[in-house]
Amino acid sequence: MIPKVFKEVIDLGDGREISIETGKLAKQAHGSVVVQSGKCMLLCTVVSNYEQKDVNFLPLTVDYREKFAAAGRYPGGFFKREARPSDGEVLTMRLVDRVLRPLFPKDYHSETQVMIQLMSHDPEVMPDAMAGLAASAAIQLSDFPFECPISEARVGRVNGEFIINPTFAQLEESDIDMMIGASADSVMMVEGEMDEISEEEMADAIKFAHEAIKVQCAAQVRLAEAFGKKATREYEPEREDKDLEKKVHDMAYDKVYAIAKAGSSKHERSAAFQQIKEDIIATFSEEELADYGGLVSEYYRKAEKAAIRDLTLNEGLRLDGRKTDEIRPIWCEVDYLPSTHGSAIFTRGETQALATVTLGTSRDANQIDMPSQEGEERFYLHYNFPPFCTGEARPIRGTSRREVGHGNLAQRALKGMVPDESPYTVRIVSEVLESNGSSSMATVCAGTMALMDAGVQMTKPVSGIAMGLISDADSGKYAVLSDILGDEDHLGDMDFKVTGTADGITACQMDIKVKGLSYEILVNALKQARNGRLHILEKLTDTIATPNANVKEHAPTMVTRRIPNEFIGALIGPGGKVIQEMQKETETTIVINEDPVTEEGIVEILGVGKKGIDAVMAKIDAILFKPEVGSIYEVKVIKMLDFGAVVEYTAAPGNEVLLHVSELAWERTENVSDVVNMGDVFDVKYFGIDSRTRKEKVSRKAILPKPEGYVARPPRDDKRSGGRDNNRGRDNRGRDNRRDDRKPREDKKED
């Protein structure tokens, strides 16, 4: 018997709908929903253990996976089974996690798992835009302590019109691709890329998405009420002691305030703060510490945070002595690494990134193989964050989700400035060598300079800056912080990263921690970010103003050539013999792709030095060579025969033609060697296809002057006796006539 199913439908306003359904699948989970739009279906389940873990954070895991069966496909690789998540799946996990995590109580420490699976794929629907909705809807059906429903929506803009959850095709035409996460009251997360839009346009896009999210949140409330809203579970809250909190605050606040105001370096400041904490702990007995030592540390952190925030709001000063809109000192360098195709160092305060650029062919493109998306990236960026960059020693267990997310942000910031006609596949690798502040924005800056150093013809340089916000709802005071430190990232109410050119924003990432942030404050923060971004951009262009005109001497040059489809086989050769030998002889890399529209062959030639590339181009010219009737060409004798000489066009080696003995000279030629010999070079005239021999005809004598007194031989008389057609009498009597002349066999028998 099919259980009772509960369903809510959300109208997107343009004929499309999103439905949320529960009651049919995964009923042993604490909450489960199926979210559907078109043929796209996501199953989301949530489970949270009832016992609290002995940790001081929420052990939340958000997992998003796309099943290949959802698109009727097999997983790639030897083992036909989904394995580690792709970068695309990791990015979706991060988007959902960043919106959900702040809405759980700070003292809720039960292991919690949110699992979202793409079960059915629709090529017209982007599933990641519905993942946040699915997660929140499932939580609303559970008994988790969770503040309020949220949702996420993608917003695009085509021909000036905003679109919620655009299709893949619409996104190709859009100048905005932003994902917004919000509750009904507050925007909480923004991430995306743009085509140099203004701060006001970005705010308008966020507002538009928020209105759609309000409708999705209301649908979740209705579904939970229809299903039967569960009572929120009870859990053991963290221990509190208000008297102890006040005592620690009074002991720490003024001392922390004084050190924060001193404007010291990261390590000096950290050591001083640690000393204050140790001095406070030393005032308690062993018995007291055994009873509530953990609370002392927690209350010290709260006092430290309050003192630093108050310093900024009251005096406009920051931990390192800067004003709120001041950028740390910057120094840059390009061409630092001698063997790379391009390199740059960007250092801002205590944050440093070393970026390298590698140029390659389409064969080096990053392959994307997901059920919801297939293709390749000809421009991609990898970001590495080793533990030494923060002075730590810890295990390295592969690429972290954070590294994937930060690398993707920097990639989106830069990719729009690399022209579509750029022939190269470009890989940027950013090694973060120091970190105290935004290393992803340092990556954008280092990446810009490395691209220009490599000779990649960027349309415009891009810079990035990380911003913060400290606000006090009671007093109405707020301070926007430019170029935030690592400590300011943790204690602020909003941290956002903005990248762009001098003309507009190309990418952003925001996490907003306060409710009801006004759009006025948001726009003011974005404008202050623009000022900082332009200041940093000036430092970059002082180091390298424009892209180098050419790639480095040791870097490969890329040349592309289009050839008719029918010549692709000749260029590859049987079993790839021709192209392999060509690559070996010229020390180049040759890649042939087919244009899906024109079906032409696109030949990519990558090589260091002009000589090898020129040799490949000459070979292609030879393969494509088509002599024109009436034109004169230089040829070389490559073979001697009794009835002529085989000659090769010197402009197209490998293209051969027979020069018949009768076309060598005006005089009668008995021996070919009387006129030409092996290796001789001379001109011939091309006559096209000979109507008699059906072969190409060239002539040497046609461009030579006729000898004095030369008399042409009379043409052959085909009607003369002994001619081929007359000697058998076939021109006047056909096969049918011949049969008519014969007497019947029966008559012969009678005779």
Side-chain angles (χ1 to χ4, degrees):
M1 183 176 112
I2 298 177
K4 185 177 181 180
V5 175
F6 299 86
K7 187 174 183 178
E8 279 291 329
V9 177
I10 301 164
D11 186 356
L12 294 179
D14 57 0
R16 295 176 299 148
E17 295 179 339
I18 300 176
S19 67
I20 318 172
E21 176 185 289
T22 190
K24 185 180 292 186
L25 303 181
K27 294 190 295 298
Q28 292 193 43
H30 295 162
S32 68
V33 295
V34 172
V35 174
Q36 181 171 357
S37 181
K39 296 179 181 178
C40 178
M41 298 175 69
L42 295 175
L43 169 65
C44 179
T45 59
V46 296
V47 174
S48 186
N49 294 339
Y50 284 91
E51 62 276 6
Q52 290 270 69
K53 294 194 73 172
D54 187 20
V55 293
N56 63 352
F57 62 91
L58 171 64
L60 170 67
T61 301
V62 175
D63 194 81
Y64 172 81
R65 302 298 177 103
E66 297 189 356
K67 305 299 183 180
F68 276 86
R73 294 177 51 210
Y74 285 91
F78 185 78
F79 296 102
K80 299 302 180 186
R81 184 179 184 130
E82 290 85 355
R84 64 177 296 278
S86 66
D87 284 359
E89 290 167 318
V90 168
L91 294 171
T92 302
M93 297 175 199
R94 283 175 52 85
L95 287 173
V96 177
D97 186 296
R98 284 161 50 199
V99 185
L100 296 183
R101 190 174 292 272
L103 296 181
F104 285 91
K106 294 189 180 301
D107 60 352
Y108 186 68
H109 300 154
S110 294
E111 180 121 21
T112 303
Q113 189 174 51
V114 177
M115 296 189 67
I116 310 164
Q117 304 176 58
L118 175 67
M119 308 303 289
S120 178
H121 173 55
D122 185 333
E124 295 298 316
V125 179
M126 301 186 72
D128 59 342
M130 302 190 299
L133 169 63
S136 177
I139 292 173
Q140 296 310 303
L141 302 177
S142 74
D143 61 351
F144 300 174
F146 192 76
E147 187 173 325
C148 61
I150 61 93
S151 191
E152 293 178 343
R154 172 177 271 110
V155 60
R157 186 174 66 175
V158 178
N159 298 326
E161 297 291 328
F162 289 123
I163 303 171
I164 290 295
N165 293 355
T167 65
F168 285 102
Q170 288 172 326
L171 205 58
E172 288 292 323
E173 301 175 11
S174 176
D175 62 351
I176 295 176
D177 177 8
M178 290 172 57
M179 193 78 83
I180 290 87
S183 66
D185 300 324
S186 303
V187 174
M188 304 166 66
M189 185 277 300
V190 179
E191 181 159 337
E193 61 184 272
M194 310 88 178
D195 186 11
E196 298 183 277
I197 68 172
S198 68
E199 288 74 15
E200 290 81 5
E201 288 174 306
M202 180 174 166
D204 289 342
I206 295 172
K207 289 179 185 178
F208 183 78
H210 193 194
E211 292 303 313
I213 287 171
K214 291 177 182 179
V215 175
Q216 297 177 15
C217 291
Q220 295 176 55
V221 172
R222 293 195 302 271
L223 180 69
E225 290 174 350
F227 180 74
K229 182 67 176 175
K230 298 178 183 177
T232 302
R233 70 172 62 175
E234 295 184 0
Y235 65 95
E236 185 178 351
E238 288 181 344
R239 183 181 176 185
E240 289 187 352
D241 189 322
K242 293 297 182 182
D243 293 335
L244 178 63
E245 182 177 3
K246 184 178 184 308
K247 179 180 179 180
V248 172
H249 180 274
D250 293 343
M251 295 172 68
Y253 183 88
D254 290 339
K255 295 178 181 178
V256 170
Y257 196 100
I259 291 171
K261 190 175 180 178
S264 54
S265 68
K266 175 183 177 180
H267 292 296
E268 291 175 353
R269 186 169 63 246
S270 297
F273 286 157
Q274 182 63 27
Q275 188 61 53
I276 295 173
K277 179 180 176 181
E278 291 176 1
D279 291 345
I280 292 173
I281 291 174
T283 64
F284 294 92
S285 66
E286 291 185 7
E287 291 78 10
E288 289 174 320
L289 291 175
D291 187 22
Y292 46 67
L295 284 179
V296 173
S297 296
E298 177 62 27
Y299 292 150
Y300 168 76
R301 283 193 293 270
K302 291 179 69 175
E304 182 183 290
K305 180 177 179 179
I308 295 171
R309 287 171 61 91
D310 288 348
L311 172 68
T312 302
L313 288 174
N314 297 337
E315 303 188 42
L317 294 177
R318 300 162 65 180
L319 285 169
D320 57 358
R322 284 182 292 149
K323 296 178 182 178
T324 55
D325 61 351
E326 193 174 346
I327 311 296
R328 288 174 289 176
I330 294 171
W331 68 265
C332 311
E333 183 178 341
V334 296
D335 198 20
Y336 177 73
L337 300 174
S339 297
T340 60
H341 299 164
S343 64
I345 303 171
F346 176 83
T347 307
R348 183 194 61 238
E350 296 172 299
T351 299
Q352 184 178 76
L354 170 62
T356 60
V357 167
T358 306
L359 306 176
T361 68
S362 60
R363 191 179 295 165
D364 301 304
N366 185 39
Q367 300 299 317
I368 299 173
D369 185 22
M370 297 173 62
S372 63
Q373 186 180 6
E374 292 180 86
E376 61 182 27
E377 293 175 326
R378 295 287 297 268
F379 176 88
Y380 53 101
L381 187 151
H382 293 151
Y383 164 102
N384 297 316
F385 192 86
F388 67 77
C389 71
T390 55
E392 299 175 277
R394 52 179 169 78
I396 299 175
R397 307 191 188 281
T399 305
S400 68
R401 292 186 179 187
R402 180 183 181 279
E403 288 172 309
V404 172
H406 280 43
N408 179 69
L409 174 61
Q411 177 177 322
R412 300 176 87 176
L414 294 170
K415 72 177 185 180
M417 293 302 111
V418 177
D420 292 337
E421 58 269 20
S422 175
Y424 296 101
T425 290
V426 179
R427 180 186 185 229
I428 301 177
V429 178
S430 173
E431 303 290 346
V432 179
L433 306 181
E434 296 179 46
S435 181
N436 181 20
S438 177
S439 53
S440 62
M441 296 299 94
T443 292
V444 171
C445 297
T448 290
M449 293 187 293
L451 285 168
M452 293 197 289
D453 180 54
V456 176
Q457 301 304 304
M458 291 186 73
T459 307
K460 300 171 189 175
V462 179
S463 64
I465 189 170
M467 306 291 292
L469 174 71
I470 296 176
S471 62
D472 183 6
D474 295 332
S475 66
K477 292 182 179 179
Y478 74 91
V480 178
L481 310 181
S482 298
D483 179 24
I484 58 174
L485 302 169
D487 290 339
E488 291 171 333
D489 187 357
H490 300 301
L491 60 85
D493 298 324
M494 175 172 71
D495 64 270
F496 61 105
K497 304 172 180 68
V498 187
T499 72
T501 67
D503 297 320
I505 299 170
T506 60
C508 73
Q509 183 183 91
M510 295 187 185
D511 289 296
I512 302 168
K513 307 168 189 176
V514 289
K515 296 179 183 179
L517 179 71
S518 72
Y519 284 100
E520 179 184 356
I521 294 177
L522 178 61
V523 171
N524 288 341
L526 287 170
K527 288 182 176 179
Q528 184 171 319
R530 183 178 187 275
N531 294 334
R533 201 177 72 238
L534 294 178
H535 169 78
I536 297 170
L537 190 61
E538 185 178 348
K539 298 294 183 181
L540 305 186
T541 52
D542 284 346
T543 304
I544 179 167
T546 57
N548 290 331
N550 300 300
V551 300
K552 299 181 185 297
E553 289 185 2
H554 61 273
T557 299
M558 169 79 83
V559 174
T560 58
R561 177 78 177 271
R562 286 180 173 264
I563 64 174
N565 181 278
E566 62 266 24
F567 290 99
I568 295 177
L571 182 56
I572 295 173
K577 182 179 179 181
V578 173
I579 195 170
Q580 289 172 9
E581 289 181 353
M582 205 185 312
Q583 291 181 109
K584 185 177 180 180
E585 292 171 1
T586 61
E587 296 182 346
T588 60
T589 299
I590 305 171
V591 178
I592 304 175
N593 298 308
E594 186 174 307
D595 189 310
V597 178
T598 65
E599 296 186 350
E600 290 179 297
I602 304 173
V603 185
E604 299 175 0
I605 310 160
L606 190 79
V608 178
K610 191 170 181 292
K611 184 178 179 181
I613 293 175
D614 287 347
V616 176
M617 293 293 283
K619 179 65 176 177
I620 294 174
D621 287 338
I623 292 173
L624 300 180
F625 178 74
K626 286 185 177 180
E628 295 182 3
V629 174
S631 296
I632 296 173
Y633 298 95
E634 184 180 76
V635 296
K636 179 181 179 180
V637 178
I638 61 172
K639 187 184 292 186
M640 300 288 286
L641 302 172
D642 292 340
F643 49 87
V646 178
V647 296
E648 178 184 68
Y649 296 98
T650 58
N655 280 267
E656 306 170 1
V657 65
L658 175 65
L659 175 59
H660 194 266
V661 64
S662 63
E663 298 297 333
L664 285 171
W666 291 104
E667 300 86 353
R668 180 177 178 83
T669 303
E670 297 294 340
N671 297 308
V672 175
S673 58
D674 292 342
V675 181
V676 297
N677 290 290
M678 283 288 293
D680 285 357
V681 177
F682 48 85
D683 291 340
V684 296
K685 187 174 183 179
Y686 181 74
F687 286 93
I689 303 298
D690 190 301
S691 60
R692 186 171 61 86
T693 63
R694 304 298 179 188
K695 294 181 180 180
E696 288 184 300
K697 177 182 177 181
V698 294
S699 174
R700 176 176 177 269
K701 74 177 185 182
I703 57 177
L704 297 175
K706 291 182 181 180
E708 188 175 345
Y710 174 80
V711 178
R713 295 171 60 187
R716 175 183 293 176
D717 183 5
D718 289 339
K719 295 182 179 180
R720 65 191 175 185
S721 176
R724 180 180 178 89
D725 292 336
N726 287 334
N727 62 353
R728 295 183 184 177
R730 292 182 180 174
D731 56 335
N732 297 322
R733 190 172 62 180
R735 183 177 297 273
D736 293 339
N737 292 334
R738 190 165 63 246
R739 286 176 179 168
D740 291 342
D741 290 343
R742 292 176 180 174
K743 293 181 179 180
R745 292 188 177 184
E746 290 78 8
D747 295 342
K748 289 182 179 180
K749 288 179 182 179
E750 291 176 0
D751 292 342

